[in-house]
Amino acid sequence: MQRNAYNAQEAAFNLGIRIDLVRTVEMAWQWSPLDRAMMISVDLPRHVVNEAIAHCICHVELASTAKGTAALNGQWWRARLEMDIHTIVAERLISVEALADAISITDNIADVAACLGTTEFMLSWRLQNLTDAQINELPIFALNRLRWGPGHDPDAPARCGWPVPGTGEVYRETNIGRHRR
Ligand SMILES: [Zn+2]
């Protein structure tokens, strides 16, 4: 079910981007930015399809830019272009207002993502890239109780904990196993 405000399929249609829903096991999705065409598996969950199309739209939009062209030619860091795209998509899919509502209703990343109709990855990306001004529009207690931070992945090498509000104490937990690898 489409829960966030951004309907990628409609946006693609308005931009003249062709979306072909195909049944395939090998390939989740494939696109050609210059041809403004995309193939996507019909078997993916609806919110994943929405994000994939939103991602494709950004590739099409950026394909004609200097950086997009350079990335295609191997003259610009492609991973940076992907990061730029994640940032744009996360902003389109998760408005500050919707995020404020979702984190007020529920208190963990999985439920907030479900509430917003996005993947946890997209929610994490949005949280990581909130501006100070956007953070000031959100209920801070609700952000804090998410217990989310960069390196949310349990395998991350280290993370900081804030045990008691107001004590000024922070502890840092290091994942030793990870460092020995
Ligand atoms: Zn991409």
Side-chain angles (χ1 to χ4, degrees):
M1 189 177 130
Q2 179 65 42
R3 268 160 295 194
N4 55 58
Y6 186 78
N7 184 331
Q9 213 152 350
E10 197 176 288
F13 179 81
N14 292 335
L15 290 164
I17 298 169
R18 204 183 73 229
I19 310 279
D20 289 324
L21 292 169
V22 293
R23 190 165 288 278
T24 170
V25 283
E26 298 106 26
M27 174 197 62
W29 51 294
Q30 188 179 56
W31 78 102
S32 172
L34 295 176
D35 293 341
R36 304 172 79 82
M38 175 184 197
M39 289 200 323
I40 182 165
S41 167
V42 291
D43 299 319
L44 291 169
R46 182 114 182 89
H47 65 292
V48 176
V49 169
N50 194 54
E51 280 182 22
I53 297 173
H55 188 94
C56 164
I57 289 170
C58 276
H59 269 290
V60 170
E61 288 172 335
L62 295 180
S64 55
T65 66
K67 275 186 191 169
T69 307
L72 276 174
N73 295 333
Q75 291 156 340
W76 179 243
W77 192 23
R78 290 167 174 167
R80 170 64 76 193
L81 197 76
E82 295 296 334
M83 287 186 259
D84 291 346
I85 289 174
H86 291 324
T87 302
I88 296 167
V89 169
E91 281 198 19
R92 287 178 178 172
L93 262 57
I94 306 173
S95 70
V96 172
E97 295 74 23
L99 181 59
D101 285 349
I103 63 177
S104 298
I105 294 164
T106 186
D107 65 357
N108 65 83
I109 292 294
D111 289 346
V112 172
C115 194
L116 289 165
T118 66
T119 59
E120 290 181 38
F121 169 80
M122 197 51 66
L123 172 59
S124 289
W125 199 277
R126 185 72 173 99
L127 290 170
Q128 191 151 346
N129 291 286
L130 285 169
T131 63
D132 289 355
Q134 289 172 334
I135 290 167
N136 273 319
E137 289 178 50
L138 293 164
I140 300 299
F141 80 95
L143 276 175
N144 284 336
R145 77 177 173 183
L146 283 176
R147 299 187 151 280
W148 178 91
H152 176 61
D153 177 351
D155 277 343
R159 60 182 169 182
C160 289
W162 298 66
V164 186
T167 62
E169 287 176 7
V170 177
Y171 68 88
R172 188 159 178 83
E173 186 184 323
T174 303
N175 188 339
I176 301 296
R178 176 72 180 220
H179 283 299
R180 286 198 178 134
R181 252 185 247 155

